[in-house]
Amino acid sequence: MASTAPITSSPAPEEGEATSTLSGARKPMSALVVAHDPALKQQLVQALAAMVEVGSVRGAHTLETGLVAIDGRMVDLLVADLDLPEDGGPTLIRHARRRLAACKVLALARPATAESRLPTALHLGALGWLRMDEAQPTSGAEIAARIRQFLAD
């Protein structure tokens, strides 16, 4: 199902500080988007690439590719699709939190699956969720603003 699903956010509380250098300036983040829908993945990659806070962004569409990227230890921000097959979203979140303690994680889900899968994602350490809402278009700027909101909390 290829779609350019709009995304809305639902915050969840999280502690943590932004990555910074010794001078106090924030270093650009390395982001990873793992989503099984190619159009959605591309929309998120483009939104993140346009953010000044993000130095690099990669996209993956399978659990395996996401795990390899996390093992490469070059991920400061993970956007994990909770609708990945075989419970892949929670598996990615768990793996990222174990391997990269400072990695910030956002869960990505449709409202129909968020109710059942979001509690697990939050328990595993996701900051919150980006809600894929197919009813309303969302611009890259809106997506970036929502991601910044999570990162600021």
Side-chain angles (χ1 to χ4, degrees), residues 41 114 117:
K41 179 184 68 174
R117 297 181 180 167

Side-chain angles (χ1 to χ4, degrees), residues 63 67 70 85-97 124:
L63 171 62
L67 292 172
I70 291 166
E86 300 176 17
D87 209 28
T91 299
L92 278 171
I93 294 169
R94 186 178 304 108
H95 192 70
R97 299 303 296 149
L124 292 172

Side-chain angles (χ1 to χ4, degrees), residues 27-51:
K27 98 174 185 183
M29 293 187 300
S30 175
L32 173 64
V33 176
V34 184
H36 74 284
D37 180 325
L40 177 62
K41 179 184 68 174
Q42 188 61 30
Q43 180 184 24
L44 288 164
V45 166
Q46 289 175 344
L48 284 161
M51 293 175 62

Side-chain angles (χ1 to χ4, degrees), residues 6-153:
I7 300 169
T8 59
S9 61
S10 296
E14 172 67 19
E15 296 178 36
E17 296 180 28
T19 305
S20 63
T21 63
L22 293 177
S23 65
R26 293 179 189 221
K27 98 174 185 183
M29 293 187 300
S30 175
L32 173 64
V33 176
V34 184
H36 74 284
D37 180 325
L40 177 62
K41 179 184 68 174
Q42 188 61 30
Q43 180 184 24
L44 288 164
V45 166
Q46 289 175 344
L48 284 161
M51 293 175 62
V52 68
E53 300 93 331
V54 176
S56 66
V57 61
R58 291 172 286 165
H61 69 278
T62 67
L63 171 62
E64 294 77 21
T65 308
L67 292 172
V68 169
I70 291 166
D71 285 342
R73 299 197 179 263
M74 297 298 292
V75 180
D76 299 310
L77 172 64
L78 169 65
V79 179
D81 186 350
L82 296 181
D83 294 328
L84 285 171
E86 300 176 17
D87 209 28
T91 299
L92 278 171
I93 294 169
R94 186 178 304 108
H95 192 70
R97 299 303 296 149
R98 284 182 183 156
R99 301 279 296 182
L100 305 168
C103 180
K104 298 188 182 296
V105 178
L106 294 176
L108 180 66
R110 289 181 168 75
T113 57
E115 186 175 324
S116 63
R117 297 181 180 167
L118 185 60
T120 299
L122 296 174
H123 177 74
L124 292 172
L127 296 171
W129 71 299
L130 294 173
R131 179 178 165 202
M132 299 184 313
D133 187 350
E134 296 170 350
Q136 302 171 354
T138 302
S139 72
E142 290 173 301
I143 294 167
R146 291 179 181 136
I147 291 171
R148 281 186 186 105
Q149 186 176 27
F150 284 119
L151 296 176
D153 290 343

